[in-house]
Each structure stands twice: as structure tokens, then as C-alpha cells.
Amino acid sequence: EAGVAQSPRYKIIEKRQSVAFWCNPISGHATLYWYQQILGQGPKLLIQFQNNGVVDDSQLPKDRFSAERLKGVDSTLKIQPAKLEDSAVYLCASSFRADRNTASEQYFGPGTRLTVT
Amino acid sequence: AQSVSQHNHHVILSEAASLELGCNYSYGGTVNLFWYVQYPGQHLQLLLKYFSGDPLVKGIKGFEAEFIKSKFSFNLRKPSVQWSDTAEYFCAVLSSGGYNKLIFGAGTRLAVHP
């Protein structure tokens, strides 16, 4: 079974530039997550999709971050414009399904390491 | 808001030493708890999980964790570590208010010396 795929693996940009990350979840997984992991911290959930709908984006900085999952499969996360503090690893994860009453194991991709200079 | 605390940021051990990594969570209700591991250059992967039942949970590679509700703790243990256990370990709790939303601790970086 193929795992969660992410690209690119590394990206270096200057502040105020824009950047996009791509994620392809495990086939059949309805729920997709984007996490931000700043150096020295644990991953923090940015946004969660159930199929192509957003179920949690409470910690997404919506003035500069956006994400979509138009066909309920792969997803893109965009930052525009980037700031120095956006330097982090962006992790994508997927799970078979998720609802308020059921815990479902999340599978993580390799991440994209973003450096903003 | 729920939170997870991991007591040690860096741990250095020699091979065959015993390991215990501390994890405390803040929520007092029903909890689902996890330990994830990230080996150098690899992605996060699940080590073990607790949903309900026996509070002593066994995971992969000889790891185990004990859920102690009265102490709000879910410490990770291994009786004898190997060099290959060098990795970063994250404790996480499933948020009570979200849809399968994980809240992670800051992580513990373990280095095992031969």
C-alpha cells in the first residue's frame, strides 16, 4: 500500500514570496490533515478536510494560508505572502475516516521543509 | 484548551539501558492517547495507542506505555534500548472537541550510544 505522498520535499523562498505544497493521501482515506511543525515543537494542526469539505481550520492563519481539496483526493496548501516565521516542516496526514465519536489512525507523509529567508 | 507536556527534550542513553519518557495531558475526560516516533530522515509513524481497556499498551519494537488516569500520564517505556531506537518521540492526545484532531507534545529527542 502506497503511503502519503508530498512534494516538494524542500523549498527555500524569500519573504513575501508565495509557495504551494502538494499532498496525495492514501487511497480510500476520506480525511486529510495539514500540520505545521516548527523546529523544537510538535506538529500543530492547520486544517482538516473530510472528503472535500473543511471540518477544522481554526488554527489556519487565513490572511496568508489557504488550502483546498477540490475532488476529495489530493490537496494543496498555499502560503502567500510568506513570512520568516513560516519556516517549518509542513506535514500531510490522512486517515480512513474521522468523526466526533470515532478515533482513526493518522498516517503521515515525509513532509516539506520550508525555509523562508 | 487541551495540552500535552513531555518532560524531557533530550535524552541520552547507552545501549541496553532502560528508557522511560514522560507524557502528561491536561484533559480529564475520556482520552485517546498516542506515541509517535520519527526516525532520522523518516516520516512520523505510530508506535502505540490507547483507546480503552487494559491501561498497559504494547506497541511495536518492544515499546510499551502505561495509562494512569489519576496522574494524567501516559509514559513510554522500553526495558533495553538499542542504537536503532535513536529518534524523536512524540506523545499526542486526541482532542475532545474536534474530528480526530491530534494535539502533540513538543517531542523528546533520544540518542542511544553504542
Side-chain angles (χ1 to χ4, degrees):
Chain A
E1 177 181 85
V4 177
Q6 289 188 248
S7 67
R9 294 294 309 276
Y10 305 92
K11 190 74 176 178
I12 301 174
I13 61 172
E14 295 181 353
K15 60 183 179 183
R16 292 188 289 273
Q17 286 187 321
S18 62
V19 65
F21 313 127
W22 175 81
C23 171
N24 194 29
I26 293 172
S27 178
H29 279 193
T31 312
L32 185 147
Y33 314 77
W34 283 102
Y35 289 85
Q36 179 192 57
Q37 185 176 12
I38 294 172
L39 188 65
Q41 300 180 21
K44 181 185 79 173
L45 181 71
L46 292 175
I47 188 167
Q48 177 181 346
F49 293 93
Q50 185 89 322
N51 297 308
N52 61 350
V54 175
V55 294
D56 188 338
D57 63 357
S58 57
Q59 297 193 85
L60 186 75
K62 298 180 186 62
D63 58 333
R64 299 184 298 106
F65 286 63
S66 63
E68 59 183 16
R69 192 185 184 199
L70 294 175
K71 296 182 180 179
V73 181
D74 58 346
S75 174
T76 56
L77 175 70
K78 296 179 182 178
I79 308 175
Q80 182 179 11
K83 292 185 176 181
L84 295 177
E85 58 260 37
D86 298 332
S87 293
V89 176
Y90 291 85
L91 298 169
C92 180
S94 69
S95 64
F96 181 64
R97 71 182 183 90
D99 57 48
R100 286 193 181 276
N101 300 312
T102 304
S104 181
E105 181 177 341
Q106 296 183 29
Y107 296 84
F108 285 81
T112 297
R113 183 176 298 276
L114 173 67
T115 301
V116 182
T117 63
Chain B
Q2 285 177 278
S3 63
V4 176
S5 297
Q6 292 185 243
H7 312 303
N8 310 100
H9 294 295
H10 292 94
V11 173
I12 301 173
L13 295 173
S14 298
E15 277 193 315
S18 64
L19 170 71
E20 181 160 3
L21 301 182
C23 172
N24 286 94
Y25 60 92
S26 62
Y27 181 62
T30 301
V31 289
N32 300 122
L33 295 157
F34 305 79
W35 275 97
Y36 279 84
V37 61
Q38 188 167 26
Y39 297 104
Q42 298 187 26
H43 56 272
L44 270 170
Q45 53 188 287
L46 185 66
L47 203 52
L48 49 80
K49 60 188 177 186
Y50 171 79
F51 285 178
S52 63
D54 189 344
L56 186 61
V57 180
K58 295 194 182 300
I60 60 172
K61 304 186 180 185
F63 286 90
E64 64 179 31
E66 185 174 12
F67 169 58
I68 303 179
K69 189 173 182 179
S70 61
K71 295 184 178 180
F72 296 87
S73 70
F74 189 56
N75 292 355
L76 181 71
R77 300 194 293 248
K78 187 171 184 178
S80 176
V81 295
Q82 301 173 312
W83 176 80
S84 57
D85 293 325
T86 294
E88 190 157 18
Y89 294 81
F90 293 93
C91 182
V93 63
L94 208 63
S95 170
S96 61
Y99 290 79
N100 213 48
K101 174 180 177 178
L102 285 173
I103 298 171
F104 285 87
T108 297
R109 196 176 292 272
L110 171 67
V112 180
H113 293 168

